[in-house]
Amino acid sequence: SSNNLAWYQCVSPDAAVQDAKAGLQAMQALAAKGDLGAGWLDTQAACHAANGDYAQATKLQEDVIERVKRLQSGDPDVLKRFEERRALYAAGKPYIAPEDE
């Protein structure tokens, strides 16, 4: 649930929900407890980008992509979404979720 809350705090287009600083703090606390899986790293990357740290966001997103490739996910759309977010971060842009996400 902490991951889900941090995700929405970092990527929500709704200003009432968006709190990138709190989202990043939550993800850093989770990361301090151990290795995060690909989905959690994806959230952490989004939070770094939302806080303007695009270099770290890009690095984390590359880790996500490598993990997903190693697992050979059966859903190519998942990998595509991760790669699209990496491209945003590399371009110095945060990921903002669509209204229906």
Side-chain angles (χ1 to χ4, degrees):
S1 62
S2 294
N3 181 62
N4 291 342
L5 176 60
W7 175 257
Y8 288 109
Q9 287 175 318
C10 293
V11 305
S12 178
D14 184 345
V17 175
Q18 234 258 0
D19 187 349
K21 184 177 178 182
L24 181 58
Q25 288 172 342
M27 292 312 298
Q28 289 172 328
L30 288 171
K33 294 181 180 182
D35 187 38
L36 301 179
W40 290 32
L41 283 176
D42 182 46
T43 300
Q44 190 174 17
C47 288
H48 276 282
N51 281 280
D53 187 355
Y54 299 108
Q56 183 64 13
T58 302
K59 179 185 176 303
L60 288 168
Q61 200 67 24
E62 288 170 359
D63 290 346
V64 169
I65 291 165
E66 288 307 312
R67 288 176 187 222
V68 170
K69 285 180 178 178
R70 277 196 308 267
L71 295 173
Q72 298 178 344
S73 171
D75 185 354
D77 291 336
V78 170
L79 183 58
K80 181 181 175 187
R81 286 192 303 268
F82 291 147
E83 289 172 336
E84 287 170 351
R85 284 199 279 274
R86 177 187 57 191
L88 281 173
Y89 306 153
K93 298 176 183 177
Y95 172 73
I96 304 297
E99 291 284 335
D100 61 348
E101 183 175 301

